[in-house]
Amino acid sequence: MQKHFEFNPIHTILIPFIYEGPGASIVESARHFGAEIILVGIVVVPEEQSLSLGAVSANKLRKQLREYGKDKHITARTKVIVSHQPWQEFSNLVKREKPDLMLLEWGTHFEALKVNVIDVLSNPPCDVGLIRGKIGSKPQNILVPARGGPHADLAMRVGLGLNRSGVSLLHIRKAGDPINVAFKGLERVVQQMPEVEKQFEVTNEAANLIIEKSKQADLIVLGTTAQPMSSSASLGYVADQVLREANATVIAVKRAAEVQTIYDESAGLGAITLLVDKWFGENTFEADEFKNLHDLVELKQQQNLTISLALPALNEEKTVGKVIKMMKKELMQKVSLLDEIVLIDSNSKDRTREIAKKEGVPVYIHQQILERLKPRRGKGEALWKSLLVTKGDIIIWIDTDIVNIHPRFVYGIIGPLLQNPQVQLVKGFYRRPLRVGETMQAGGGGRVTELTARPLLNLFYPELSGVVQPLSGEYGGRRSALEKIPFFSGYGVETGLLIDVYEKYGIQGIAQVDLLERIHHNQPLEALSKMSFAIIQAVLHKQESRFGRAVVEEVNKSMKLIRYNAHSGYSLGVEEIAERERPPMVEVDEYIKIFNRN
């Protein structure tokens, strides 16, 4: 059957943008197609280094990509690939994106991606063009040499995409050979395009002829060899010589492969370390990346999302007013990033609620929400019930005891959720100085995190071992995910949410953001001990589905606290610290009625 050629326009061009590597010059060349340019950031980490070290480079690269993204013709993917050997993962991404053309810089892209020519062109994930040189201005004389091979139509399509009225089709055949049957199909289409010049040459030295004609051309577009790739450095004899010697810029093209490959990065025992390092490199952000609030508002509006800030509080009269004032002014009045702010109080005995009302935000006492359920103590109870009294598609929680409050504590959490629809939960992390007497120890905070939470996660959920501060009170997520997850009522709430989001959405459903420094009121050692006890219960409770039975008996959920008094000496105090879960809010009748969940 004779092949039928169609020259559909090139609508999308995908370019791998390598940190401190190739990408920038190709972007300028690609602009001449008038197509949408998709940039995918890649950070290549040396084999001997941990992938987590790529986080800083990924942050810098995202900033570069955002600058390019200001151009309405450029889409900069905020998902940056961090890898030792990125080609396979990048190739899979290309297959999902399905661009019309992928452009690579001849030579340098292969070196940067740590892949050879044969690996790319023996099974290309989409139509690919290898460009040698730069297209500085719209090319006026484009030469498309074609014998009639399988890539000739793609070469014509690329040439026409750059300048429809400037293409010259050159058919070369050896002496004594008839015109290639495949070329006749191409020729019939081109005959209907009077703007395309047609040239016919007979020669046994095709490469030399093309090189000679390149002296009058701005650009040469030709197909690679039609033979199976046998050399890791060759595109075929003609293409190789043209790439080496032609005066003009050269684009060598090859059509997409039909064969799909499968890559499973989780295979093998050593994959967890690779997986965590890779996640850390790709999903760790800096708040500063999102400081352009107008860009965040635009993303929010494009996705038709609403955002709620819920503030859990218990006796925070010293700081709650400043927190509310700042967030209202910076994130509601100056820009419309937040749609609502609500205070979820745990029955404070000071002026916390009075101050919040004076600042004009709705105030709820969590013990008075869902009164048919016996209220429980704990921050987790307040967070769970905040789902019922907020309206946003995205819900952000920050603690109200932050002394050095700044808008970044909120917009830093919002940023990854707006940029990446795959992310369901964003955790904040920061340096936490610890006050000892009149001095501050720079890294002294986070004692429960380092002594309890992170060791437990490393032991039972090693995929979460890259989360810097799993217990941070600054985090947020999508309502569509949070409503489907149970909440521990007490100190275990952060740990439980992290585990459940991971188990439901995978590690890529979680991101974390550096919020710089957080100064707050440090807890006494006894309070930290109780917190640790609750967190241990939460992690063990999550093991019950694995073991098929309760891991911790009810009788073991009371804690014996050792206390010391200078007069009476040591004594034991007993306190019940039982971490219990509330069901997913989507199962609660009142919630179902308000949000139309069936």
Side-chain angles (χ1 to χ4, degrees), residues 105-365:
E105 190 172 301
W106 169 246
T108 55
H109 252 124
F110 297 109
E111 182 180 350
L113 289 167
K114 296 189 175 180
V115 65
N116 58 46
V117 173
I118 193 170
D119 290 333
V120 175
L121 295 188
S122 62
N123 187 32
C126 70
D127 291 350
V128 60
L130 308 180
I131 183 169
R132 189 216 67 186
K134 181 179 177 181
I135 305 174
S137 59
K138 190 177 182 69
Q140 301 302 311
N141 300 297
I142 302 171
L143 182 65
V144 181
R147 184 175 181 272
H151 314 305
D153 62 325
L154 176 58
M156 275 300 296
R157 187 181 177 200
V158 169
L160 292 169
L162 284 164
N163 188 348
R164 196 169 184 85
S165 61
V167 174
S168 178
L169 175 64
L170 171 63
H171 178 57
I172 302 172
R173 61 187 176 92
K174 293 181 178 181
D177 284 354
I179 293 179
N180 187 287
V181 174
F183 178 78
K184 290 182 179 180
L186 175 63
E187 183 185 24
R188 263 198 306 275
V189 176
V190 175
Q191 290 295 348
Q192 303 172 44
M193 304 170 66
E195 68 273 23
V196 175
E197 181 186 354
K198 295 86 179 175
Q199 301 180 42
F200 296 85
E201 297 282 353
V202 177
T203 179
N204 291 330
E205 298 293 338
N208 290 335
L209 176 65
I210 296 169
I211 291 166
E212 180 63 29
K213 286 184 175 289
S214 74
K215 296 175 182 178
Q216 286 77 46
D218 302 318
L219 175 70
I220 299 172
V221 187
L222 77 166
T224 59
T225 179
Q227 302 303 314
M229 301 293 291
S230 58
S231 168
S232 63
S234 177
L235 303 182
Y237 171 76
V238 173
D240 283 350
Q241 188 173 344
V242 172
L243 279 163
R244 285 195 313 267
E245 302 178 23
N247 291 341
T249 299
V250 180
I251 302 179
V253 300
K254 186 169 185 182
R255 294 175 60 85
E258 298 296 327
V259 180
Q260 298 292 316
T261 58
I262 297 175
Y263 175 72
D264 181 5
E265 70 172 355
S266 64
L269 293 176
I272 286 181
T273 297
L274 177 64
L275 180 69
V276 174
D277 282 359
K278 182 175 178 55
W279 171 85
F280 190 99
E282 295 178 348
N283 282 36
T284 300
F285 300 84
E286 295 176 357
D288 186 59
E289 295 183 54
F290 311 110
K291 65 181 180 181
N292 189 325
L293 301 184
H294 295 286
D295 286 352
L296 290 185
V297 171
E298 185 176 347
L299 281 173
K300 170 192 162 186
Q301 292 171 345
Q302 288 172 358
Q303 298 171 63
N304 194 28
L305 295 173
T306 54
I307 304 176
S308 300
L309 172 62
L311 302 172
L314 175 62
N315 300 324
E316 303 296 352
E317 65 179 6
K318 293 181 180 179
T319 51
V320 68
K322 184 178 179 181
V323 171
I324 294 172
K325 281 181 183 177
M326 179 171 289
M327 298 309 167
K328 282 187 69 174
K329 178 182 177 182
E330 300 295 330
L331 304 182
M332 293 184 81
Q333 295 168 359
K334 288 187 177 180
V335 295
S336 55
L337 186 59
L338 292 178
D339 295 283
E340 66 174 345
I341 300 175
V342 302
L343 185 86
I344 310 294
D345 187 64
S346 296
N347 208 11
S348 295
K349 303 304 180 185
D350 63 2
R351 297 176 58 250
T352 296
R353 293 193 299 276
E354 180 184 336
I355 293 170
K357 289 176 182 177
K358 187 177 178 181
E359 295 301 333
V361 302
V363 174
Y364 299 90
I365 299 174

Side-chain angles (χ1 to χ4, degrees), residues 477-589:
R478 301 184 191 279
R479 178 180 294 274
S480 57
L482 297 171
E483 68 182 6
K484 298 181 179 71
I485 291 173
F487 279 54
F488 282 109
S489 297
Y491 292 127
V493 62
E494 284 88 10
T495 306
L497 287 176
L498 192 63
I499 291 171
D500 284 330
V501 169
Y502 160 68
E503 291 196 325
K504 194 172 185 66
Y505 299 98
I507 189 64
Q508 292 299 329
I510 299 168
Q512 60 184 353
V513 59
D514 185 353
L515 301 175
L516 300 182
E517 184 174 86
R518 184 192 195 279
I519 300 173
H520 62 119
H521 307 304
N522 294 298
Q523 302 243 33
L525 191 59
E526 183 175 295
L528 298 180
S529 180
K530 291 189 284 187
M531 186 183 298
S532 295
F533 187 60
I535 290 163
I536 292 169
Q537 287 184 54
V539 174
L540 292 180
H541 178 73
K542 294 299 180 184
Q543 306 309 302
E544 292 178 358
S545 60
R546 295 182 179 182
F547 296 114
R549 58 181 290 274
V551 178
V552 180
E553 302 296 337
E554 287 297 317
V555 71
N556 296 333
K557 292 182 180 179
S558 60
M559 186 176 186
K560 285 73 177 175
L561 299 166
I562 300 175
R563 291 173 176 146
Y564 177 78
N565 183 286
H567 298 289
S568 57
Y570 289 99
S571 64
L572 288 178
V574 179
E575 187 169 336
E576 183 185 8
I577 307 171
E579 273 298 291
R580 298 184 177 91
E581 279 187 318
R582 289 297 194 184
M585 187 57 82
V586 76
E587 298 175 7
V588 175
D589 291 340

